[in-house]
Structure formats: structure tokens, C-alpha cells
């Protein structure tokens, strides 16, 4: 299994739809997970951390499944402004103090 | 207020040249990074400095040399540029050099390097 793996998409959804992305990771000892958002030709920005109990921030919900080693991001009531690439981020499994970024899942919300 | 600023934003240069990208953060963070994002959008860490001390040095060619004069600055110098060096280089910083949940990484806007 790759250190972190995401479906590149694109996910094309209409406004108002609910969409979910999954991300698998290889390091079973990982404790901290994150979702970052990257707009076209912009820098990545933290969207939300992922807690073991799951967490919700407005229309966004992040879940962690340790048994299957994946994290998910659910976006409800999609807005045009949600169009971006969503990067899954996990601790590196090489023992160094760093984070490994997934290649991202592209979301395109259409009117 | 720009938290992490890097210059230049765009750089087009010929193969074989030497170039530098400068980075400064005004967040008071202890840890700074250089990441490279290639054409396939993979964002990979190159270097990490904690309080001016190198703590991560990925397997990048030694043509790439980071310099941290103080904890608010981390510059990247590249010698003998090659076509494959074309990418977006992101400077970043975080409060601590660990992977804790509250350790948000703040990125600069990126420097778009094109080697011709």
C-alpha cells in the first residue's frame, strides 16, 4: 500500500449535492490526519484536522477508519466555491517528523 | 498581512543557471520547510529547519542548498538548474516540527520555476 493514496477525480457534482472522498494510508501507527484544500494555482491551506471520533465543521465532516486505514471527507450542500483540490495529509511512515501529502482529489461543483 | 512570503513568484531561467528563492515568515514559528510540487501535483517535502537547524533533508540533489540565517527566513539556492527542476516551490512554516493535530502548516504562495 502506498504511504497515502487518493482518487484523483475529477468529481463533477451539481450545486447542492453531497460528495465524499476517501484516502487510504499505510502507516497503521499514524495518529494525526488532515485535509488541506488547494485552489488552482494557489497554495494549500488547512481545511480541517481529522480526529479519531470524527469531526464536523459546518458542511464538512471528516471521519477516520483505523481498521481499514482510511480517512474520509464529506461535503454537504456543495457550493461553487468548494471547487478545488482536496489533499489528504498523513504523518510520514519513514520515521521522520514530517507530513506526507496525497496527490489530491479534484472537485468541480457545477451550477 | 502576509504570513509566509516568498520571492520571486515567477522565475524563468536557462539550464545551467544558478538561482535563489527567498522566504520569510512573520508568524513567529520555529519550523520552516521547502516543498516541491511537480506537474503531477505531488507535493513533496525537500527540507525542514527548526530554529535554524536542519532536521529533514530529503533525497534531493545537492544542487539544492537551503540557508536559514534566522528562524524567520529560509532561502533555497539551486545550482546548475536542469529542465526537471521546473516545478512550483512552496515555502511553509509551522509552530513546531512535529505532526501533532494542532500543528498547522502555513504555505507561501509558491514560486513557479520554469527552466528552459
Amino acid at each position: 500500500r502506498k504511504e497515502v493514496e487518493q482518487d484523483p477525480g475529477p468529481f463533477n457534482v451539481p450545486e447542492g449535492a453531497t460528495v465524499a472522498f476517501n484516502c487510504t494510508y499505510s502507516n497503521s501507527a499514524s495518529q494525526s490526519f488532515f485535509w488541506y484544500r488547494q485552489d488552482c494555482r494557489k497554495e494549500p491551506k488547512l481545511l480541517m484536522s481529522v480526529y479519531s471520533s470524527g469531526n464536523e465543521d459546518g458542511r464538512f465532516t471528516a471521519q477516520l477508519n483505523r481498521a481499514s486505514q482510511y480517512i474520509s471527507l464529506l461535503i454537504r450542500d456543495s457550493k461553487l466555491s468548494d471547487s478545488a483540490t482536496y489533499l489528504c495529509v498523513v504523518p510520514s511512515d519513514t520515521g521522520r517528523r514530517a507530513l506526507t501529502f496525497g496527490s489530491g482529489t479534484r472537485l468541480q461543483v457545477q451550477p | 498581512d502576509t504570513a509566509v512570503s516568498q520571492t520571486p513568484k515567477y522565475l524563468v531561467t536557462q539550464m545551467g543557471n544558478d538561482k535563489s528563492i527567498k522566504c520569510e515568515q512573520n508568524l513567529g514559528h520555529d519550523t520552516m520547510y521547502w516543498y516541491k510540487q511537480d506537474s503531477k501535483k505531488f507535493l513533496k517535502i525537500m527540507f525542514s529547519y527548526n530554529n535554524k537547524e536542519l532536521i529533514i533533508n530529503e533525497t534531493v540533489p545537492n544542487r539544492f542548498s537551503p540557508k536559514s540565517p534566522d528562524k524567520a527566513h529560509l532561502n533555497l539556492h539551486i545550482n546548475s538548474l536542469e529542465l526537471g527542476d521546473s516545478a512550483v516551490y512552496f515555502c511553509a512554516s509551522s509552530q513546531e516540527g512535529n505532526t501533532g493535530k494542532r500543528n498547522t502548516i502555513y504555505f507561501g504562495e509558491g514560486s513557479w520555476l520554469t527552466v528552459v
Side-chain angles (χ1 to χ4, degrees):
Chain A
R1 173 175 275 186
K2 288 185 179 179
E3 200 168 2
V4 58
E5 197 161 12
Q6 298 182 247
D7 181 343
F11 283 59
N12 294 303
V13 302
E15 271 187 291
T18 294
V19 61
F21 313 132
N22 279 348
C23 162
T24 58
Y25 61 92
S26 62
N27 185 2
S28 59
S30 295
Q31 296 293 319
S32 306
F33 307 88
F34 310 87
W35 284 101
Y36 276 68
R37 170 189 169 136
Q38 186 172 23
D39 291 300
C40 186
R41 300 183 68 82
K42 297 288 188 181
E43 72 275 23
K45 292 183 180 179
L46 179 68
L47 177 65
M48 56 197 308
S49 301
V50 185
Y51 299 108
S52 56
S53 57
N55 51 307
E56 187 174 314
D57 183 3
R59 297 182 293 108
F60 298 82
T61 300
Q63 295 268 331
L64 167 63
N65 184 316
R66 286 196 184 277
S68 301
Q69 292 182 217
Y70 74 83
I71 64 173
S72 63
L73 177 67
L74 180 77
I75 306 175
R76 289 180 298 277
D77 189 23
S78 299
K79 311 289 184 192
L80 293 176
S81 58
D82 294 334
S83 297
T85 297
Y86 291 84
L87 307 173
C88 172
V89 185
V90 306
S92 168
D93 62 5
T94 61
R96 51 183 171 76
R97 290 178 292 165
L99 296 172
T100 297
F101 284 74
S103 56
T105 297
R106 194 156 70 87
L107 171 67
Q108 185 67 48
V109 181
Q110 295 162 338
Chain B
D1 287 346
T2 302
V4 181
S5 58
Q6 52 184 111
T7 56
K9 185 164 185 176
Y10 300 101
L11 183 56
V12 180
T13 188
Q14 290 187 326
M15 284 175 57
N17 284 350
D18 303 338
K19 291 293 178 185
S20 293
I21 307 172
K22 295 186 177 181
C23 179
E24 175 181 5
Q25 54 97 1
N26 62 7
L27 296 166
H29 288 165
D30 289 330
T31 303
M32 295 187 72
Y33 312 83
W34 276 108
Y35 283 83
K36 176 181 179 180
Q37 189 168 42
D38 60 24
S39 57
K40 295 184 178 179
K41 306 302 181 186
F42 286 103
L43 190 65
K44 293 185 178 178
I45 190 167
M46 300 174 68
F47 302 102
S48 172
Y49 270 73
N50 183 266
N51 216 358
K52 301 193 299 175
E53 182 181 343
L54 180 66
I55 58 173
I56 294 175
N57 183 353
E58 284 302 286
T59 51
V60 300
N62 57 15
R63 297 181 294 103
F64 291 78
S65 53
K67 292 284 191 302
S68 182
D70 55 63
K71 75 172 193 177
H73 295 83
L74 181 61
N75 304 322
L76 183 65
H77 189 75
I78 315 170
N79 289 327
S80 303
L81 278 156
E82 300 178 357
L83 294 177
D85 297 332
S86 297
V88 185
Y89 293 85
F90 286 101
C91 178
S93 74
S94 64
Q95 180 57 45
E96 297 173 357
N98 60 42
T99 57
K101 283 195 185 338
R102 292 171 179 79
N103 193 29
T104 303
I105 297 178
Y106 294 86
F107 287 86
E109 292 185 338
S111 294
W112 302 75
L113 172 65
T114 302
V115 182
V116 297

